[in-house]
Amino acid sequence: SEKETDIFLLADQFNRGKMFMTKSAKGNAAMVNLKAGEKAMAFSSFSRASCYLKEGLSLVCDRNWKQNYDLLLQLNTAQAEAEYCNGNFQGVGEAAGLVLLHATSFEDKLRTYFVLIKTLGAQGQIDDARQIGFQVLSELGESFPSPIPDQSIIITDLKESIHALIEAGGMVNFKEMENTKKIYAMKYLDILGTLFYSSKQVYGALILNRMLTLSLSHGICKESCNAVAYASYMLCELSLDLNGSNLIGRWALLLLEKLKAKEYESRVYFIVYSSQSWVKHMKHSIEPHFHGFHVGMQTGDVHSAVLN
């Protein structure tokens, strides 16, 4: 829209005249660049977002965290996220390192820990990602025993949670989760689960069980869509209950629509329609997989797009 375009034009004009700005004007220009960077991220224009955020950082005089704490926190956090989407893992490390060094509260570090876990996972450093993720989850009140329980116990618990999910009608009529710590915990469980489902399946089952338990007891959030979708797949794998899996898959799609979880649409489509191919002919899944690919590319979920 015209208003959205204006923020880019305004940032560009500020950046052209930055050599002539006063200190206070540079602070205002840095904030405009932050907003432009966030808007570019929303448009999946990640390289452009990084450029605006770098400009914003260059405008903060002396990079003084004591005087410009909120602005530098937001700029560096957003920069870490943009560089992850650009595949610039060194850039992620630089921005994340500054946030973790200077942030004064655990809450201010949450977004940065999240992108750091994704970056480690993308580089195959799964154990390092798990260690950071479990530390954060412990701070959020969702700790895991060490060592983890025997695989047979984990699978039994997961089957019970999937049965509870079925009895709850897929949670499609549940209220939305309100506890902020639980919402953050679901985000961290979700990203860790994504790393573990293919590489450390015992951990994947452990995390899926916790996500289902939290959703059943505290209400649903966007990440619940992924948990229900994975439950659909796991029901096939554990019990060969193809009809039950198909039913849970349809609930995952309903939750996706109800919660407007566009950012997870590509992943949910991949999981659900991959599972449904065991029940229906593959030709019925071709169009949904194409849809999942296009949505994933639009939202920056390239991994799920490629899987589709």
Side-chain angles (χ1 to χ4, degrees), residues 9-51:
L9 293 174
L10 184 59
D12 291 339
Q13 291 296 333
F14 270 131
N15 295 338
R16 290 188 184 99
K18 62 182 179 181
M19 296 296 294
F20 308 100
M21 289 182 184
T22 63
K23 185 176 181 179
S24 60
K26 285 183 177 181
N28 293 331
M31 181 60 72
V32 170
N33 273 279
L34 171 62
K35 292 179 179 178
E38 291 174 337
K39 183 60 67 176
M41 287 280 286
F43 288 159
S44 300
S45 183
F46 305 116
S47 295
R48 190 181 188 188
S50 179
C51 290

Side-chain angles (χ1 to χ4, degrees), residues 47 75 101 108 140 147 176 213 239-241 260 264 301 306:
S47 295
L75 281 166
L101 177 65
D108 286 346
L140 292 169
E176 292 191 31
T213 301
S239 306
L240 292 178
D241 184 354
K260 297 179 174 58
Y264 296 129
D301 187 2
V306 172

Side-chain angles (χ1 to χ4, degrees), residues 168-176 215-220 255 258:
M171 303 187 293
V172 293
N173 293 318
F174 273 36
K175 66 177 183 179
E176 292 191 31
S215 297
L216 287 163
S217 58
H218 292 277
I220 54 175
L255 283 176
K258 176 179 179 177

Side-chain angles (χ1 to χ4, degrees), residues 120-139:
L120 290 169
Q123 297 177 94
Q125 300 176 38
I126 306 299
D127 288 333
D128 291 338
R130 175 181 58 81
Q131 184 176 3
I132 293 174
F134 277 17
Q135 287 175 353
V136 173
L137 284 167
S138 181
E139 290 281 346

Side-chain angles (χ1 to χ4, degrees), residues 157-198:
D157 290 344
L158 178 57
K159 286 181 176 179
E160 290 178 358
S161 293
I162 293 175
H163 179 71
L165 171 67
I166 294 172
E167 287 191 333
M171 303 187 293
V172 293
N173 293 318
F174 273 36
K175 66 177 183 179
E176 292 191 31
M177 193 176 289
E178 297 177 350
N179 187 307
T180 303
K181 282 193 172 183
K182 301 304 179 187
I183 292 172
Y184 268 114
M186 285 289 287
K187 292 182 183 297
Y188 276 88
L189 289 165
D190 180 66
I191 189 59
L192 288 172
T194 303
L195 299 178
F196 292 149
Y197 289 134
S198 58

Side-chain angles (χ1 to χ4, degrees), residues 32 44 67 87 92 172 216 229 233-234 303:
V32 170
S44 300
Q67 293 182 3
V92 174
V172 293
L216 287 163
Y233 175 83
M234 291 301 294
H303 178 72

